[in-house]
């Protein structure tokens, strides 16, 4: 039954994806993947964590169908590896799930065969289906039949004419090869595997930090003095920087795009360097026994102040970037600045928790990768091209129309309506008209596998603007 299900899935895989772009097919593939995984790994599907990953994976596929954006496709792929990896070994860090999911998808079939040869019990189970014998049973007769057909063609003109009349053009060998690829993929997914010892080691490592035997009061006192002096001076320096930054923020000309751009980019560069150095310094001083030193209160307070001041620095960058967006509209780079600021803020908060709760580096890596995954999923639910266009046309004081025209086809109808209601130069109008015409033509030539929710629901009025 297992192999029949994989064969059916591989045929459907070719029907969905062979020479097709991404659309409804990815949603159907995601459903098919979950069904196959559940059928072959029923015990793992009793875990609430696996169910949550299934819902997440299916949600990303739904948004691929709704939005047809590159970000939603990336989120779906990452969620796919996360789910497959989680089934191979539950309760592991999310980055281990990614590694196991990727490894299972690429080499799971061969890995199971190699491991099966090492395990006598698995050998007994595999005797039910002797694949080598099956290959011999089909391959060897096929080779000899081909050889003898070629020989007989030369010995009998009538037989030669009969063979020449046989036409195999109806067989699409590329489609068959694609189906074999689908069979290989689903064979890999049927029973996800895990990389050892990385998986077992990850499961054995806890998040807490513990006092080591090399606990030296004298050495820790010197480390505390160095850390207190360094963080004290750095706090004074960042306070001075923040004060001058606030003053410059009040004097910047919001009508001058180059000046605002320089302010934002310089601020981001400063923020990147500052946060990286801040986290490295904090992790250096709180990597071991100094966490358990009785007289580390002053150092901890300076650390908390340093983190707080970096959050103030983040707030100033947010204000600058938002002023930039209000004046000159949204772009992916300006959205990226906000995303980076958000992730930086999360990094500071998790570093604060690491110091306060006495956690190790593994804790930071686990929680930050998990948050990055959740952020990717959340942001993939937004059709950014549509949102950028809507915001710029309706809210921005000034915007670059050429930038909007250069975005994906998801804003073609928006721009077409804008061109009908606004006076534009002939070049811009022509570019918008061409983009709209290509978009409508593209929709009409899509097969059902490639269509998105937007394509299914486009109205006749939108087709004839």
């Amino acid at each position: 039954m297992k192999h029949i299900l994989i064969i059916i899935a591989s045929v459907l895989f070719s029907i969905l994806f062979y020479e097709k772009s991404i659309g409804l097919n990815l949603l159907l593939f995601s459903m098919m993947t979950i069904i196959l995984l559940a059928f072959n790994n029923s015990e793992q599907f009793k875990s609430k964590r696996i169910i949550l990953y299934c819902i997440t994976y299916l949600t990303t596929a739904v948004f691929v169908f709704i939005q047809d954006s590159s970000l939603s496709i990336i989120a779906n792929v990452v969620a796919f590896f996360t789910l497959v990896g989680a089934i191979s070994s539950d309760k592991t860090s999310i980055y281990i799930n990614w590694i196991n999911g990727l490894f299972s998808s690429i080499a799971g079939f061969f890995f199971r065969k190699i491991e099966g040869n090492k395990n006598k019990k698995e050998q007994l189970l595999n005797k039910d289906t002797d694949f080598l014998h099956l290959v011999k049973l089909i391959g060897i007769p096929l080779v000899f039949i081909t050889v003898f057909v070629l020989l007989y063609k030369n010995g009998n003109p009538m037989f030669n004419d009969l063979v020449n009349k046989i036409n195999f053009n109806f067989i699409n060998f590329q489609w068959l090869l694609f189906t074999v690829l689908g069979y290989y993929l689903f064979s890999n997914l049927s029973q996800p595997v895990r990389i050892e010892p990385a998986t077992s080691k990850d499961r054995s490592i806890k998040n807490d930090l513990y006092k080591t035997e090399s606990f030296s009061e004298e050495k820790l006192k010197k480390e505390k003095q160095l850390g207190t002096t360094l963080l004290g001076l750095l706090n004074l320096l960042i306070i001075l920087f923040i004060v001058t930054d606030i003053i410059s923020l009040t004097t910047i000309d919001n009508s001058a795009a180059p000046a605002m751009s320089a302010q934002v980019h310089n601020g981001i560069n400063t923020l990147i360097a500052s946060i990286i150095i801040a986290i490295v310094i904090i992790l250096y001083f709180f990597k071991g026994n100094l966490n358990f030193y009785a007289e580390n209160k002053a150092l901890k307070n300076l650390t908390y102040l340093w983190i707080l001041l970096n959050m103030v620095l983040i707030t100033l960058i947010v204000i600058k970037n938002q002023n930039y967006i209000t004046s000159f509209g949204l772009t992916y780079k300006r959205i990226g600045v906000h995303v980076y600021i958000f992730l930086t803020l999360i990094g500071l908060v998790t570093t604060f928790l690491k110091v306060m709760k006495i956690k190790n580096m593994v804790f930071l890596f686990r929680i930050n990768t998990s948050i990055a995954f959740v952020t990717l999923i959340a942001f993939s639910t937004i059709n950014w091209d549509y949102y950028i266009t809507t915001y710029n046309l309706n809210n921005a004081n000034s915007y670059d129309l050429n930038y909007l025209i250069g975005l994906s086809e998801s804003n073609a109808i928006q721009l077409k309506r804008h061109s009908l209601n606004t006076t534009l130069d002939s070049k811009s109008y022509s570019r918008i008209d061409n983009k709209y015409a290509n978009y409508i033509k593209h929709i009409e030539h899509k097969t059902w596998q490639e269509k998105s929710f937007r394509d299914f629901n486009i109205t006749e009025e939108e087709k004839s603007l």
Side-chain angles (χ1 to χ4, degrees):
M1 182 63 184
K2 170 186 169 181
H3 294 292
I4 293 174
L5 188 62
I6 293 175
I7 291 171
I8 293 172
S10 61
V11 172
L12 291 175
F13 176 79
S14 287
I15 293 172
L16 291 175
F17 290 106
Y18 180 69
E19 294 186 341
K20 301 290 187 297
S21 59
I22 298 299
L24 175 62
N25 47 13
L26 193 59
L27 174 57
L28 298 176
F29 170 79
S30 300
M31 293 177 178
M32 204 162 55
T33 300
I34 292 174
I35 292 170
L36 183 68
L37 288 170
F39 181 83
N40 292 294
N41 306 273
S42 55
E43 284 299 316
Q44 287 87 332
F45 271 74
K46 294 177 182 179
S47 167
K48 292 181 180 179
R49 192 177 186 187
I50 298 298
I51 298 300
L52 178 61
Y53 282 141
C54 284
I55 294 172
T56 302
Y57 177 47
L58 198 57
T59 300
T60 60
V62 169
F63 278 100
V64 169
F65 173 60
I66 293 174
Q67 297 175 172
D68 192 22
S69 68
S70 299
L71 185 60
S72 59
I73 294 172
I74 292 170
N76 179 264
V77 172
V78 175
F80 168 78
F81 290 135
T82 306
L83 172 61
V84 174
I87 291 174
S88 71
S89 180
D90 196 12
K91 297 180 181 179
T92 51
S93 302
I94 198 164
Y95 56 89
I96 296 296
N97 290 340
W98 294 339
I99 295 171
N100 283 334
L102 181 62
F103 180 73
S104 293
S105 302
I106 295 174
F109 177 81
F110 292 109
F111 182 83
R112 286 197 304 273
K113 288 299 175 185
I114 293 171
E115 290 297 307
N117 292 332
K118 297 177 182 178
N119 191 316
K120 292 182 179 180
K121 291 182 179 179
E122 288 186 16
Q123 282 183 336
L124 291 173
L125 291 173
N126 288 335
K127 284 184 178 179
D128 293 337
T129 306
D130 192 339
F131 288 102
L132 182 60
H133 176 67
L134 189 62
V135 171
K136 289 179 179 179
L137 188 64
I138 297 173
I140 293 176
L142 186 63
V143 169
F144 279 99
I145 286 173
T146 304
V147 170
F148 277 96
V149 164
L150 295 175
L151 291 174
Y152 290 156
K153 280 181 65 178
N154 296 326
N156 187 328
M158 185 176 291
F159 183 79
N160 181 56
D161 293 339
L162 180 64
V163 171
N164 288 334
K165 289 179 181 179
I166 300 174
N167 188 353
F168 291 99
N169 290 337
F170 66 93
I171 300 176
N172 189 330
F173 289 100
Q174 289 182 335
W175 188 90
L176 290 176
L177 184 62
F178 199 79
T179 305
V180 172
L181 176 64
Y183 182 86
Y184 175 72
L185 174 62
F186 285 113
S187 295
N188 289 340
L189 298 181
S190 61
Q191 288 181 313
V193 297
R194 60 190 187 187
I195 297 177
E196 294 293 358
T199 303
S200 298
K201 189 173 182 179
D202 177 76
R203 297 185 69 170
S204 65
I205 296 176
K206 306 301 180 184
N207 289 327
D208 294 320
L209 199 60
Y210 300 99
K211 186 190 295 186
T212 62
E213 294 179 357
S214 59
F215 192 90
S216 171
E217 290 275 351
E218 184 179 352
K219 184 178 179 181
L220 292 174
K221 183 178 180 180
K222 291 179 180 179
E223 284 188 13
K224 189 265 293 186
Q225 289 174 343
L226 174 61
T228 303
T229 303
L230 178 59
L231 285 171
L233 292 173
L234 288 174
N235 277 319
L236 291 175
L237 184 61
I238 197 172
I239 289 171
L240 177 62
F241 177 83
I242 288 171
V243 171
T244 56
D245 203 41
I246 292 173
I247 295 172
S248 67
L249 190 62
T250 59
T251 59
I252 189 70
D253 181 9
N254 288 350
S255 63
M260 292 192 70
S261 176
Q263 276 274 26
V264 172
H265 294 153
N266 291 339
I268 283 295
N269 294 333
T270 302
L271 182 64
I272 291 172
S274 174
I275 298 304
I276 291 175
I277 294 172
I279 292 176
V280 168
I281 290 172
I282 292 169
L283 294 180
Y284 172 78
F285 285 108
F286 291 95
K287 67 181 181 298
N289 287 333
L290 193 56
N291 289 277
F292 308 99
Y293 183 52
E295 298 180 12
N296 68 359
K297 187 175 181 181
L299 179 59
K300 278 196 171 184
N301 289 336
L302 286 171
T303 300
Y304 298 148
L305 178 60
W306 172 254
I307 292 173
L308 178 63
L309 291 173
N310 274 278
M311 289 181 179
V312 174
L313 187 60
I314 286 175
T315 303
L316 293 175
I317 298 298
V318 169
I319 294 171
K320 291 178 185 178
N321 195 49
Q322 193 55 47
N323 288 340
Y324 195 16
I325 290 170
T326 302
S327 299
F328 301 101
L330 277 172
T331 64
Y332 272 104
K333 285 186 178 180
R334 293 161 202 169
I335 293 171
V337 169
H338 273 328
V339 174
Y340 171 77
I341 289 169
F342 169 74
L343 293 176
T344 303
L345 179 63
I346 294 297
L348 287 171
V349 172
T350 54
T351 303
F352 172 83
L353 292 174
K354 180 250 185 293
V355 175
M356 186 175 68
K357 300 291 186 180
I358 312 181
K359 301 294 183 180
N360 55 25
M361 290 283 292
V362 176
F363 162 79
L364 274 182
F365 200 52
R366 283 172 174 165
I367 192 170
N368 286 330
T369 50
S370 297
I371 292 171
F373 174 66
V374 173
T375 302
L376 173 64
I377 300 300
F379 277 67
S380 70
T381 63
I382 301 172
N383 188 335
W384 288 107
D385 286 1
Y386 183 89
Y387 180 74
I388 289 170
T389 305
T390 300
Y391 180 88
N392 288 358
L393 294 180
N394 298 320
N395 301 102
N397 298 333
S398 175
Y399 59 87
D400 185 355
L401 183 60
N402 289 326
Y403 179 83
L404 299 181
I405 297 173
L407 295 177
S408 72
E409 62 182 20
S410 62
N411 68 354
I413 292 175
Q414 286 174 282
L415 291 176
K416 181 62 177 178
R417 282 178 170 157
H418 177 71
S419 69
L420 296 176
N421 299 319
T422 308
T423 303
L424 302 174
D425 60 87
S426 58
K427 183 178 179 181
S428 296
Y429 184 85
S430 176
R431 289 185 65 195
I432 291 173
D433 199 48
N434 288 336
K435 180 174 185 175
Y436 168 78
N438 290 333
Y439 171 59
I440 298 300
K441 184 179 179 181
H442 185 206
I443 288 177
E444 291 174 346
H445 284 83
K446 279 185 177 182
T447 62
W448 65 268
Q449 298 99 318
E450 302 171 291
K451 287 192 174 182
S452 65
F453 179 80
R454 184 178 64 248
D455 300 332
F456 280 115
N457 289 274
I458 188 170
T459 63
E460 292 300 322
E461 182 266 335
E462 290 173 331
K463 289 182 179 179
S464 58
L465 288 173

